[in-house]
Amino acid sequence: MKPSVRTTVIAGNWKMNMTPSAARDAVRETAALTAGKSGCEVVLCVPFVDIPAAVEAARGTNVKIGAQNVHFEKKGAFTGEISADMLLESGAEYVIVGHSERRQYFGETDETVNRRAKAALDAGLKVILCLGEVLAQRQAGITEEIVSLQTKLDLAGIPAEQMKDLIIAYEPVWAIGTGLTATPEQAEEVCAIIRRVLAGLYSPAVAEATTIQYGGSMNDGNAAQLLAKENVDGGLIGGASLVPAKFAKIVDAAQ
Ligand code: PEP
């Protein structure tokens, strides 16, 4: 049984997909299919330019809109970047930081992920902080060390009071977009490790209250088994979130 202090959050990460008009339709459809499903929070993290259309389409529904990254400075000469205040004013409530694609292709480090998380929390956004091991690290048997270290570095300097606005997404990099999924046992094992690290960094109460999602090829076929695990409090979903009917089935599995 999961403690009732934790919120289950099913979040979609659309990545670089959907134009604003497609986003409007997909948010409307997702909202219609998930209406009244109060057993979890439903979030769609959309490309920056889709945020206004997505927010408009989500108004009055149970779907919340998020972004996929945020810069750590408030403003200035950072061509191509988006600040937390810009996201907030556009109506975004959530933001992903530290996604493995940002780490892998855009040079994000634990230090920049930490700075982005802090900037977002300070501005009043809710953060979905992604971390996880790559295949070689799992094969070398150092998943626990890697994930523990990432948790500590990515949360450095974030006070306990702000942890209520932070979700951790455990995303084994080898499972993202590959069709390979961690087994429910593997997901549970690592989410429990992260929770133990949180207890040490903060307190058992903060650890118990923090939502820890699993992400990595979660779909309508495997979600129920993953979400049944005690320490898996939701999912961050890439590919399957682009198809409202599939995403809605994952939301169903979280009820
Ligand atoms: C993701 O992008 O965070 C993700 C988990 O993608 P997918 O579900 O496609 O593996």
Side-chain angles (χ1 to χ4, degrees):
M1 271 282 279
K2 294 179 215 272
S4 56
V5 289
R6 293 209 288 274
T7 308
T8 300
V9 180
I10 301 294
N13 171 18
W14 283 359
K15 312 192 186 195
M16 196 174 73
N17 292 290
M18 306 260 195
T19 60
S21 59
R24 187 176 299 114
D25 292 346
V27 170
R28 280 194 189 131
E29 202 178 333
T30 302
L33 292 169
T34 60
K37 303 281 161 69
S38 56
C40 67
E41 201 141 290
V42 180
V43 183
L44 290 172
C45 295
V46 307
F48 292 133
V49 295
D50 292 354
I51 292 173
V55 167
E56 178 60 34
R59 192 158 289 135
T61 76
N62 65 335
V63 174
K64 301 196 161 48
I65 301 302
Q68 299 170 14
N69 201 10
V70 62
H71 194 60
F72 37 79
E73 295 293 348
K74 284 186 91 58
K75 63 178 181 176
F78 302 101
T79 302
E81 293 289 333
I82 299 282
S83 75
D85 287 343
M86 292 171 187
L87 294 180
L88 269 180
E89 200 172 317
S90 304
E93 290 179 57
Y94 282 81
V95 64
I96 295 173
V97 300
H99 192 277
S100 70
E101 287 151 18
R102 300 294 320 170
R103 296 180 190 252
Q104 204 178 339
Y105 307 135
F106 301 99
E108 296 269 348
T109 62
D110 288 311
E111 194 214 330
T112 59
V113 171
N114 171 253
R115 292 179 71 189
R116 289 175 200 269
K118 283 176 171 163
L121 290 168
D122 287 347
L125 288 163
K126 291 186 180 163
V127 167
I128 300 176
L129 191 154
C130 304
L131 49 86
E133 81 286 1
V134 299
L135 186 58
Q137 293 165 335
R138 177 158 284 268
Q139 287 171 338
I142 55 170
T143 297
E144 175 161 1
E145 286 90 328
I146 294 296
V147 166
S148 301
L149 186 64
Q150 286 179 330
T151 305
K152 289 175 192 164
L153 293 174
D154 295 353
L155 295 178
I158 294 177
E161 309 81 74
Q162 289 189 323
M163 286 299 288
K164 63 177 181 3
D165 292 324
L166 187 135
I167 293 167
I168 293 181
Y170 165 55
E171 299 211 296
V173 179
W174 48 271
I176 298 177
T178 58
L180 293 174
T181 315
T183 63
E185 292 69 31
Q186 287 171 324
E188 168 66 13
E189 184 188 14
V190 182
C191 289
I193 289 168
I194 294 168
R195 205 175 299 287
R196 278 200 296 278
V197 174
L198 294 179
L201 283 177
Y202 296 100
S203 66
V206 167
E208 277 297 280
T210 301
T211 295
I212 303 179
Q213 300 173 315
Y214 165 78
S217 301
M218 189 186 268
N219 58 42
D220 46 329
N222 59 28
Q225 283 177 304
L226 287 158
L227 295 170
K229 290 293 178 188
E230 188 185 333
N231 284 289
V232 179
D233 310 315
L236 182 58
I237 296 117
S241 71
L242 294 169
V243 183
K246 288 190 183 175
F247 186 66
K249 284 200 179 126
I250 299 174
V251 172
D252 281 343
Q255 298 309 296

